[in-house]
Amino acid sequence: MKIYHLFAVFVIICGSARCLSATEKGENFVFDKADIQFLKEVELLDQRYEREGMVYHDEALNAYVTRIGMSMLPAGTAPEHVKWAFKVVRDPMANAFALPNGSIFVTTGLLSLLDSEDQLASVLAHEITHVTDRHSYLGNRDYRKKSTIKSIAEFAGRMAPGNTDWGASIQLAAMMVPAMMDFSILGYRRELERDADMYAFTKIIEGNYDPREMPKTFRLLEERDEAEPPPKGAIYSDHPKLEDRISYINAEIASKAPPLVAADALAERRVRYQNLTEGIVREDIRISIMAGRPRTALARANKLLQFHPDSADNLYSQAEAYRGLGPWTAHPMEAELTRSGLKRDESLGSRFTYDEEEKVLLRKPEGQATWSENKAKAQEGYEKALAINPNHAKAYLGLGRIYELDSKNKEALMAYQKYLELSPNGQESFSVTQRIAALKRLTEQ
Amino acid sequence: MNARTMFLIALFSSCVLSATAVEYIHPKLKEHEVSVKVAVVLPAQVDIEKHGVKGVSGMGQESDDAGRQVTFEVGKALSNRGITIENPFTEEALKSNEDLRLAMADVQQRFDQTERQLFKKEKDVKNGRFSLGDSVTVLNPNGKIDVFIIVRSVGAKETKSKAFMTGGLLGMAMSGEAEFRTRVAIVDAKNGDILFIGDFVSSGLPSDKVYEHSFKKIPFQ
C-alpha cells in the first residue's frame, strides 16, 4: 500500500471524525419526524412496563418519591411532550433511568441500597436532566447519524475491489470507522451523564438537600455484595467512571462550599426515608432471592434490622435470605473475587442453573457446613419472628421448609398446617397442600 | 444472473426457510406421568426490531400486536389438540388486580432466569433438567391448571435499503417479512418442570398450523 493510499484512509477517518464532534445540545430543541417516532416507541415501552407488572404500586411510597422528584424539577411548565411521572420498578439491580416522555424509574434495588432522602433527591435530579435537556433524543439522533456512517463505510468496504491498493485502503477504512463510531456514541453519552450530575448538584442545593450525599451515593453504587465483575471500564460504559464522578463532585463542593445542612434535619430525613422504604426493601429482598442474589438480599435484610430490629417482617426477610443463601457464604470468598474466580463464576453461571450450582456446592464438605450454618440462622430468624408475631403465617411456611430439608417430617407437617390455618387463601396454599399430602404419605410409610 | 433467476432463488429460499421447528419433550410427558387437560397461555413476550441503515430501532406496536397474535395462535393450536384453554389472565384482569400482575411477573421472570441455560441446551429438556420450581403455583391457587404455556419470540426486520447494502439486489428482493425465532415452553403448573420446548424459526410469525404440527409430537393424555 502506497503513501497516498494511507493518506486516503486518513482522510476518510478524519471526515468521519468531523461527524463525531458534531454533537448537539438540548437548548431550543425542535422535534423532527424521527423524534416523534422515537417518542411513540418510548410511550409503548412505558405502557409495557406497567402491563408486565414491572412497576410497583404503593400509594405512600409513590407519593413520597413523586414529592421528592417534583421538588427537583426546574421552574416553569414541563417541556413539550413531557408528562412527569416518578415510578418504582421491581428490579434488584440498583439503577435509575428516565424515559424522554418524563417517566422516571428507580429500581427497588436502588431504593434499598440508598440510605437517605438526600441521596434519592440527587438520583432523581440527575434523571430529570436527561429529560429536560432531551438527552435521549440527542443520543438517538447521534446514534442514527453514526450508524448511517457505519452502514456506508461497511457498504463501501464490501463493494471495494480487494485486489487493488485503493480497494484495500477503503477496506481498511471501512474496518476502522465502525469501531470509532461505537466508541464515539459511548463518549457522547458520557458527556451527557456528566451534564446531568452537574445539574443534580445545583438542584439539590436549591432544594436544601446536602450535596455531600452525592459522592456517598456513588460510593454505594460501587459496593458489590455478589461475586460479580465490577461495571465495565470507561471505554465500554456510557457513564463516566464512578471515581471520576466522585472527584468532580468533590471539586464542586470544595469550590462552591455549599452551606452545611443541620444534622437533625439530615437525620429526620434519613429516618423518614427508611420508614417509607421499609416495605419496598422487603419486596426487594424477596425478588433478590428469586433472582439468585441471596447475598444482596442478606445485606439488605441486615440493614433493615439495624433500623427496625423488632419487626417480625424484617426478621422473616432475614431468615428468608439465609435460607436463600443455601450453601453459599454470606460474603464472597477471596478466591471468588479474583479475576480467575470471577471468570469461573461467569462460566458456571452460563452453563448451569442456580439449582445445579447449589447441588454441586452441596457435594463439598464446606458447602454442607455453610448450609447447616445458614439453615440454623434461618430457623432462628423464623422463630424470632414468631415470638414477636405468633400469627406470622409465612414464618411458619419458612420453618416448614427448613424442617422438611432436615427430614423432620412431623414438625414440617405441623408448620405447614399452621400456615394453612393462618392463611387458607394465601398464594402458596396450593403448593403447601401438595407438600402436606406428600409428607403425610411419607409419615404413613 | 438475470432477474428471473434471482426471483426463483428468492422464492425457493423463502419456501424452504418459511418455518423450521425443533421440539424436545420431558420423559414425564412422554411416559404419560403428567396429564395435560387444562392449559393457560401466559401473555407471549415478543420483541421485534427494525434494522436499517440508520441503526436498530424498536417496533413497539408491532411487537405488542404480535404478542397478542402468538398467544392466540398457540392457544388455538393446543385447543385443536383437545386441550382446554383457560384465560384467567386477560389484559383487563391483570390491569385491575395488582397481586395477579405481580405474581405473573414473578413467573415470567423465573422463566427468564432459566432461559439462558435452557436456550443454550434445549435438548436437555429430554432429560428433565429444567424447572422453574413450585413458585409457579402462585398462579395456580386451586390447582385446576395442568400447564402454563410460556412464549418468547424475537423478530428482526431489515429495511429495503439495509437489505440492499448487505445483500445487494438479491437481499433487497428477499427482504420484507421479519425473521422470527419463537420458543414455546410447556411448564407443569404444579411443580414448575419444563415439560416441552418447541423452537421455531420462521419468516413472519408462525401460524397455528405450525404450532399444531409441532404439538402433534406430544403424547397428551
Side-chain angles (χ1 to χ4, degrees), chain A residues 41 44 48 51-52 57 90 143-144 147-148 151 158 286 290-291 349-352 356 430-431 434, chain B residues 46-47 53-54 56 58 60-61 64 98 101 105-106 113 116-117 120 129 137 141 143 165-166 190:
Chain A
E41 288 297 325
L44 287 166
R48 191 169 175 173
R51 199 174 57 232
E52 291 183 355
H57 294 277
R90 295 163 77 241
Y143 166 76
R144 287 163 58 83
S147 295
T148 308
S151 297
R158 207 167 289 128
R286 191 185 72 77
M290 206 174 74
S350 72
R351 281 182 295 143
F352 300 112
E356 287 167 339
F430 177 66
S431 72
Q434 287 194 118
Chain B
V46 181
D47 287 298
V53 174
K54 291 177 182 171
V56 180
Q61 191 58 56
D64 289 352
E98 170 98 358
R101 196 167 61 238
D106 281 353
Q113 276 149 18
R116 192 172 168 202
Q117 294 83 13
K120 199 169 182 178
R129 183 183 161 202
T137 55
M165 284 177 121
T166 51
K190 287 167 182 134

Side-chain angles (χ1 to χ4, degrees), chain A residues 259-306:
Chain A
L260 281 169
V261 177
D264 54 346
L266 259 181
E268 190 194 318
R269 292 204 290 257
R270 193 175 288 261
V271 171
R272 186 166 55 207
Y273 178 83
Q274 286 171 330
N275 261 324
L276 281 157
T277 55
E278 200 174 358
I280 196 75
V281 176
R282 284 196 291 263
E283 169 68 0
D284 187 58
I285 291 168
R286 191 185 72 77
I287 56 179
S288 293
I289 297 169
M290 206 174 74
R293 304 175 67 79
R295 283 166 166 157
T296 309
L298 183 62
R300 303 291 173 268
N302 290 340
K303 198 169 124 184
L304 265 189
L305 278 167
Q306 275 175 16

